[in-house]
C-alpha cells in the first residue's frame, strides 16, 4: 500500500508558488483546511486564484489571505459573511467570478472525474451564460461549463489513513469530497490519522486514489460564523 503521509503542513505544501490556482474545501467555516490556509499566509505567496464556495469571515480562513492581498481572483458562489471580500470586489481590487453553487460543485466534480466540460441549465439567459456556448436538449436550453483546472486542492477531513482514504463528518462533508482529485495535487489535512486498515471500508467517503498528500492537522478552532441561541426559559 502506498503511504501518502507527510510529516507536517510545510511538507504538504511543497511546490506551491505565486500565481497558482488553488481549491479550498469547506462551506463558510465548516470543514475548511485551517492548517493549510494558515501556512499559505505565512509563506506570503501572491497572485492566487482561489476556488471556494465563499471566503468565510474577515479574520479567519481565506479571509486571512484576502487581508494580506495574496488572492488575485476568487471563484465562488457568493460573498457570504466576509466584509473584506465584498470591499475588495466592489472596489475592483479583487477579480471575482460568481457562479451558481451547483455549477461550482459540478465543475469540481467534472475535474475529479476527468470530464473537460458539461452542460447545465443553471444560468441560461443571465450574465452567467455570457460568452459561453449554449445548446438545446429536449426543448430546454443549457450552458456549457468547463471543469476547473487547479494546481492544488486543499481539503479537510475528520479521519484519514496513511493511504489517503478519507471520512468527513457532518456538514464538513460539503465541497470537500468533490474537490478531492480535482486538482493536480490534493492535500488532505485530518483530525485523526490512522494506519491502513483502521477505517471501515463501508464508511470511507473518498478513496486514497484521489489524495496525494495527507497529514494530521493541529489546533483546529472550528469557529462558528453566526452563533444563534434562544433565551433561557
Amino acid at each position: 500500500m502506498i503511504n501518502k503521509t507527510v510529516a507536517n503542513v510545510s511538507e504538504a505544501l511543497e511546490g506551491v508558488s505565486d500565481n497558482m490556482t488553488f481549491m479550498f474545501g469547506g462551506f463558510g467555516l465548516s470543514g475548511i483546511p485551517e492548517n493549510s490556509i494558515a501556512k499559505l499566509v505565512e509563506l506570503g505567496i501572491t497572485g492566487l486564484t482561489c476556488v471556494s464556495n465563499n471566503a468565510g469571515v474577515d479574520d479567519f480562513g481565506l479571509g486571512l489571505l484576502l487581508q494580506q492581498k495574496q488572492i488575485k481572483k476568487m471563484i465562488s458562489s457568493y460573498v457570504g459573511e466576509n466584509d473584506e471580500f465584498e470591499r475588495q470586489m466592489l472596489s475592483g481590487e479583487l477579480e471575482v467570478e460568481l457562479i451558481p453553487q451547483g455549477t461550482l460543485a459540478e465543475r469540481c466534480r467534472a475535474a475529479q472525474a476527468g470530464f473537460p466540460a458539461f452542460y447545465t441549465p443553471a444560468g441560461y439567459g443571465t450574465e452567467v451564460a455570457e460568452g459561453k456556448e449554449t445548446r438545446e436538449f429536449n426543448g430546454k436550453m443549457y450552458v456549457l461549463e468547463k471543469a476547473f483546472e487547479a494546481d492544488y486542492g486543499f481539503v479537510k477531513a475528520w479521519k484519514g489513513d496513511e493511504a489517503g482514504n478519507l471520512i468527513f463528518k457532518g456538514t464538513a462533508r460539503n465541497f470537500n469530497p468533490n474537490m478531492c482529485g480535482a486538482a493536480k495535487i490534493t492535500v488532505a489535512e485530518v483530525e485523526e490519522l490512522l494506519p491502513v486498515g483502521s477505517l471501515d471500508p463501508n464508511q470511507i467517503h473518498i478513496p486514497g486514489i484521489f489524495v496525494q498528500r495527507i497529514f494530521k492537522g493541529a489546533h483546529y478552532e472550528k469557529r462558528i460564523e453566526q452563533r444563534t441561541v434562544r433565551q433561557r426559559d
Side-chain angles (χ1 to χ4, degrees):
M1 184 69 70
I2 298 175
N3 192 328
K4 310 286 184 69
T5 307
V6 293
N8 49 48
V9 65
S10 296
E11 189 174 334
L13 268 61
E14 283 186 2
V16 300
S17 62
D18 295 344
N19 305 311
M20 282 188 166
T21 298
F22 295 154
M23 288 180 164
F24 294 93
F27 189 106
L29 298 182
S30 175
I32 65 172
E34 298 176 29
N35 288 251
S36 298
I37 293 171
K39 188 61 180 180
L40 289 169
V41 173
E42 181 183 325
L43 291 173
I45 58 176
T46 60
L48 304 178
T49 296
C50 296
V51 179
S52 177
N53 180 64
N54 61 299
V57 295
D58 292 351
D59 61 346
F60 193 62
L62 288 182
L64 299 174
L65 288 169
L66 284 170
Q67 279 187 351
Q68 300 302 316
K69 306 294 179 65
Q70 293 173 255
I71 299 177
K72 175 184 68 177
K73 179 179 181 180
M74 283 293 307
I75 302 176
S76 303
S77 66
Y78 72 108
V79 175
E81 303 292 332
N82 195 313
D83 292 334
E84 180 62 16
F85 185 0
E86 181 181 11
R87 189 196 67 75
Q88 289 189 26
M89 180 180 72
L90 294 177
S91 68
E93 298 173 46
L94 178 70
E95 186 179 350
V96 177
E97 180 181 349
L98 293 175
I99 58 179
Q101 196 166 84
T103 301
L104 178 69
E106 191 64 12
R107 287 177 69 180
C108 295
R109 198 197 65 81
Q112 179 190 71
F115 299 131
F118 60 92
Y119 284 100
T120 174
Y124 176 75
T126 72
E127 291 182 13
V128 170
E130 288 183 3
K132 296 176 182 176
E133 179 185 332
T134 60
R135 185 173 174 182
E136 182 180 343
F137 292 92
N138 299 319
K140 188 173 183 177
M141 295 302 298
Y142 290 76
V143 181
L144 184 68
E145 295 282 2
K146 294 182 179 179
F148 288 123
E149 297 180 11
D151 299 291
Y152 284 78
F154 301 101
V155 302
K156 191 260 181 176
W158 176 37
K159 294 182 180 180
D161 66 20
E162 294 168 347
N165 298 303
L166 303 177
I167 296 176
F168 302 96
K169 187 175 184 179
T171 54
R173 186 183 175 187
N174 39 55
F175 280 85
N176 280 300
N178 281 9
M179 289 186 175
C180 292
K184 294 175 183 176
I185 296 175
T186 296
V187 175
E189 56 180 81
V190 297
E191 294 179 44
E192 297 182 40
L193 183 56
L194 304 167
V196 174
S198 300
L199 302 178
D200 179 353
N202 295 302
Q203 300 301 315
I204 291 172
H205 296 132
I206 287 294
I209 191 67
F210 290 114
V211 175
Q212 282 69 52
R213 302 173 188 175
I214 186 170
F215 70 96
K216 186 179 186 303
H219 311 300
Y220 286 110
E221 293 188 42
K222 297 184 181 179
R223 293 194 196 179
I224 297 173
E225 269 186 276
Q226 293 286 349
R227 185 183 297 276
T228 304
V229 298
R230 65 182 179 88
Q231 281 190 319
R232 182 181 296 177
D233 294 333

